[in-house]
Amino acid sequence: MRIGMILDKTFPPDPRVENEAISLIKNGHEVFLFCLKYNKKEGDVLINGIQVKRYQSNKLEYKFSALAYTFPFYTNLMKRKIVRFLNKYKIEAIHIHDIRIAEAVFKANKTLKLATVLDLHDNMPEIMKLYAHLQKFPGKQLISPKKWKQKEEEFINKATKIITVSQEFIEEVVERTKIARDKIVLVPNTVHQSFYKDAVIDKLIVDAYKNDFVILYLGDTGLRRGLQTAIDALVILKEKIPNVKLVIVGISSTDTILKQQVTELKLESLVDFQGWQNVKLFPSYIVSSKVCISPLLRNIQHDVAYANKLFQYMSFGKPVLVSDAIAQKNLIEKTNSGLVHLEKNAQDFANKVMQLYVDSALRDRLGRNGKQFVEEEFCWEKTSEKLIALYANLKS
């Protein structure tokens, strides 16, 4: 099948898009990826068998994308490009990555009537409620998460099949939209076996932290990820763990708030902001750690999704400490691969770290459980099987 994947941003990077495309190609499909470019010199390219087709965009168009379901400008601009893409590459099935561009795709597909797979990476309408620019003028007046949710439900009903990232997300969608359960398929974000089997460990990173009790965080550092809780907990932990170190590998626009918090609490020597690092270095940071964390704040989105970082941590046999956001809490308790703390509760976070600090046997046991789970059930090679089956049975 000639599959047209639709992505409303630049590529690479996007691990989920790449993983799905490569798996489909390995199973005999051709994958053409519609994506955007902001540099006129960038051309189409072949990446790991993915035929990447880049369509020119600009800053104004990007700004219109936030208003996709307020005004029709963005949808109309994208529709024209997608029509050209679908016709030029004789696409036979469409795979839409998230909902911002979905209306443009459905309009472009009106005549062709191709089978459509809607891939919900996130509960976008719920995440939007947390965006800073939606809390103030003019974003608050112009962008309606309620309208986006209505559109999401419309697209869920229009699509031939739905893909999403957790069982909790499936339950939420089925309950809310009343779609048939067999219309939605679970394809979670998991790690390739090569992430842990073929990792090259950087000795400089390992040596830098060899004398520290490292609490590690990987990924987006936006405030909704809960790092303020971990930083507050250091005030308690530094009195009990003399060599404690919080290592943060990642960035966001709100890092200044985190750094100010560290300064105000006089914790500069205990927190390492490593910024964004190449994913190839992630295994070295994980190997250097004693405990790996995901202290998410609870909301509708976080309660139905878990981050890929959990499986990255677990694949190296590290115990994880997560907040009680439902999906990740259920995962960790089911696999017995870590401990759970109350969200936003620095004292409980510190108590759980202490539990792991004093009991190395507990750390080892939880770490082994997580590693076994990833190797036997939750690596990409296993979890992508449902994606392959979906396309094997897809009909317009």
Side-chain angles (χ1 to χ4, degrees):
M1 199 178 261
R2 295 167 71 87
I3 300 168
M5 286 195 166
I6 311 289
L7 184 68
D8 71 329
K9 57 184 180 180
T10 58
F11 181 90
D14 192 309
R16 181 174 178 83
V17 173
E18 188 167 358
N19 287 345
E20 289 181 340
I22 291 171
S23 292
L24 291 167
I25 291 163
K26 284 181 178 176
N27 279 269
H29 301 284
E30 289 183 86
V31 176
F32 299 81
L33 176 62
F34 171 101
C35 63
L36 304 179
K37 65 176 181 178
Y38 295 91
N39 179 349
K40 289 183 179 178
K41 292 178 182 177
E42 282 189 328
D44 296 345
V45 65
L46 189 69
I47 299 177
N48 294 324
I50 309 165
Q51 301 181 59
V52 180
K53 307 300 176 183
R54 292 174 168 142
Y55 287 77
Q56 189 64 45
S57 191
N58 54 57
K59 285 184 179 178
L60 183 61
E61 201 169 75
Y62 172 75
K63 287 182 178 178
F64 275 143
S65 72
L67 303 170
Y69 300 124
T70 307
F71 306 112
F73 306 126
Y74 177 76
T75 291
N76 291 337
L77 289 166
M78 285 295 154
K79 175 194 164 186
R80 288 197 287 271
K81 295 173 188 178
I82 294 164
V83 166
R84 292 201 305 272
F85 168 78
L86 297 176
N87 288 315
K88 183 174 182 179
Y89 300 107
K90 298 179 173 61
I91 299 303
E92 297 172 311
I94 305 173
H95 189 118
I96 309 167
H97 288 284
D98 264 328
I99 66 168
R100 192 191 329 261
I101 202 167
E103 185 153 66
V105 178
F106 284 114
K107 286 189 173 183
N109 188 39
K110 197 168 185 179
T111 306
L112 294 169
K113 294 183 169 58
L114 302 174
T116 52
V117 176
L118 177 61
D119 194 336
L120 298 174
H121 300 193
D122 296 297
N123 191 330
M124 182 66 76
E126 293 300 329
I127 292 178
M128 289 172 68
K129 294 176 182 178
L130 307 172
Y131 290 167
H133 63 277
L134 261 71
Q135 313 303 318
K136 57 189 179 183
F137 180 85
K140 189 173 183 179
Q141 284 69 34
L142 290 174
I143 304 169
S144 165
K146 183 179 178 182
K147 176 74 169 175
W148 280 64
K149 187 176 279 287
Q150 289 168 349
K151 283 292 182 181
E152 181 192 57
E153 291 173 6
E154 177 187 322
F155 304 144
I156 286 169
N157 281 293
K158 280 185 178 180
T160 312
K161 287 283 185 179
I162 312 298
I163 292 175
T164 193
V165 293
S166 77
Q167 190 59 45
E168 288 81 2
F169 202 171
I170 286 178
E171 300 304 327
E172 192 273 336
V173 168
V174 170
E175 173 63 26
R176 173 160 53 98
T177 65
K178 310 305 179 191
I179 60 167
R181 190 170 286 274
D182 63 1
K183 183 176 178 175
I184 190 164
V185 174
L186 174 63
V187 182
N189 291 320
T190 52
V191 294
H192 274 279
Q193 291 173 342
S194 59
F195 178 78
Y196 52 94
K197 286 184 175 178
D198 302 337
V200 177
I201 304 303
D202 187 322
K203 191 170 182 294
L204 289 175
I205 293 173
V206 175
D207 285 349
Y209 294 112
K210 66 183 179 183
N211 296 320
D212 296 316
F213 186 88
V214 171
I215 301 167
L216 176 68
Y217 178 87
L218 292 177
D220 185 317
T221 57
L223 298 183
R224 66 188 176 94
R225 309 290 177 169
L227 282 166
Q228 289 172 300
T229 305
I231 292 167
D232 281 340
L234 283 178
V235 176
I236 303 163
L237 290 168
K238 69 177 183 177
E239 305 301 329
K240 301 174 180 180
I241 307 176
N243 61 336
V244 70
K245 180 87 72 172
L246 175 62
V247 178
I248 300 170
V249 181
I251 56 170
S252 84
S253 59
T254 53
D255 281 354
T256 50
I257 296 171
L258 297 178
K259 290 175 180 178
Q260 184 181 349
Q261 180 187 2
V262 167
T263 302
E264 288 173 356
L265 295 174
K266 297 182 171 55
L267 298 171
E268 291 94 336
S269 64
L270 304 183
V271 182
D272 276 2
F273 288 96
Q274 289 289 307
W276 190 251
Q277 301 291 329
N278 191 303
V279 173
K280 290 179 180 176
L281 293 176
F282 283 13
S284 302
Y285 284 102
I286 297 171
V287 166
S288 305
S289 70
K290 293 292 193 291
V291 179
C292 299
I293 64 171
S294 176
L296 289 174
L297 304 188
R298 289 196 60 188
N299 56 53
I300 292 175
Q301 156 64 7
H302 290 165
D303 274 352
V304 299
Y306 29 65
N308 199 36
K309 65 173 67 69
L310 294 178
F311 310 114
Q312 292 173 333
Y313 298 156
M314 292 158 77
S315 70
F316 281 91
K318 296 296 178 177
V320 294
L321 174 58
V322 305
S323 71
D324 55 353
I326 293 171
Q328 64 176 13
K329 173 180 180 286
N330 289 347
L331 175 76
I332 298 314
E333 289 181 346
K334 172 190 162 191
T335 57
N336 193 24
S337 56
L339 300 179
V340 179
H341 69 88
L342 299 171
E343 61 135 6
K344 300 182 185 176
N345 190 321
Q347 182 65 61
D348 194 39
F349 182 101
N351 291 346
K352 296 299 172 17
V353 171
M354 284 305 302
Q355 209 176 322
L356 294 165
Y357 173 69
V358 301
D359 193 343
S360 60
L362 175 64
R363 295 202 305 270
D364 290 343
R365 185 170 72 252
L366 297 174
R368 279 197 308 273
N369 291 342
K371 184 173 179 62
Q372 183 179 0
F373 173 65
V374 168
E375 288 178 339
E376 295 180 2
E377 295 182 50
F378 237 59
C379 58
W380 181 258
E381 287 74 8
K382 298 278 188 186
T383 57
S384 61
E385 290 171 358
K386 289 185 178 178
L387 173 70
I388 305 308
L390 184 159
Y391 273 96
N393 298 294
L394 189 65
K395 294 180 178 65
S396 296

